[in-house]
Amino acid sequence: LSLSRALLKFDIAQNVPPGKVIESASLDVYVTDAPPESNRVDSTFHLRRMLTPWAEGKKSSSARPGGAPADPDESNWRFTGLTNQRWATPGGAPGDDYLDLSSGSTRIRDRRETYRLELNERGLADLVLWQTEPTRNFGWILISEREDKPFTARRFGASENQT
């Protein structure tokens, strides 16, 4: 069984003026690929606030549509991408690398579709934290609640994705 998770980060402090109250927020994700329909298993995906800093990759999906192995300065299943710093366990550990509380979720079925994750109170608290203490903004990890089941993985478009 091959597991996969997605890391996301947004500069809230730079984009939300100080003193502005965040009352609601959502995150749209675009699924670029999924297992074949005959095998695909629906799953609810949850955002969880990261507690550990990590480094974003610099590769373009257009150069290699199926993905490419991470370079030494990019996060991967074992390393955060920061000077050989390892995750507490491969893929990250709840309580050490990320909060084991959902900041928002949505059920994801198909590919080539946009899904909206409405942030809950925990997710709004994440945004307020990042607005007031930007040095604690390590983003979210997106995890399928059924990642122990085959055919629940999805590929999401990154900032370089044209859609």
Side-chain angles (χ1 to χ4, degrees):
L1 181 63
S2 177
L3 302 178
S4 115
R5 298 172 173 179
L7 293 167
L8 311 122
K9 186 176 176 185
F10 306 94
D11 190 347
I12 302 304
Q14 198 69 5
N15 292 290
V16 179
K20 292 292 181 184
V21 177
I22 302 171
E23 296 178 352
S24 67
S26 62
L27 172 67
D28 290 346
V29 294
Y30 182 74
V31 177
T32 62
D33 203 6
E37 189 173 350
S38 59
N39 296 24
R40 187 168 46 235
V41 175
D42 294 355
S43 181
T44 298
F45 283 72
H46 293 272
L47 291 170
R48 301 180 189 282
R49 181 166 56 89
M50 292 299 297
L51 303 172
T52 301
W54 51 275
E56 182 178 8
K58 297 168 183 58
K59 293 181 182 67
S60 168
S61 60
S62 62
R64 188 169 173 181
D71 289 331
D73 62 342
E74 297 175 334
S75 61
N76 61 38
W77 194 249
R78 291 193 173 91
F79 293 96
T80 67
L82 302 174
T83 322
N84 292 323
Q85 181 182 351
R86 290 182 177 267
W87 299 111
T89 61
D96 292 317
D97 296 313
Y98 60 87
L99 282 182
D100 199 16
L101 300 168
S102 178
S103 295
S105 63
T106 193
R107 187 154 186 82
I108 295 181
R109 298 168 297 284
D110 298 322
R111 61 181 178 164
R112 307 280 185 236
E113 191 170 330
T114 299
Y115 292 88
R116 175 159 290 168
L117 292 100
E118 295 291 341
L119 297 187
N120 57 27
E121 283 186 33
R122 172 80 260 146
L124 294 176
D126 295 344
L127 297 179
V128 170
L129 173 70
W130 299 338
Q131 179 187 24
T132 58
E133 298 182 53
T135 59
R136 294 184 57 194
N137 181 357
F138 306 127
W140 287 302
I141 190 167
L142 185 59
I143 302 175
S144 165
E145 71 180 17
R146 298 183 68 191
E147 69 179 356
D148 59 327
K149 304 284 185 217
F151 306 108
T152 58
R154 301 295 187 269
R155 184 180 304 259
F156 298 94
S159 57
E160 296 83 11
N161 188 282
Q162 297 300 311
T163 305

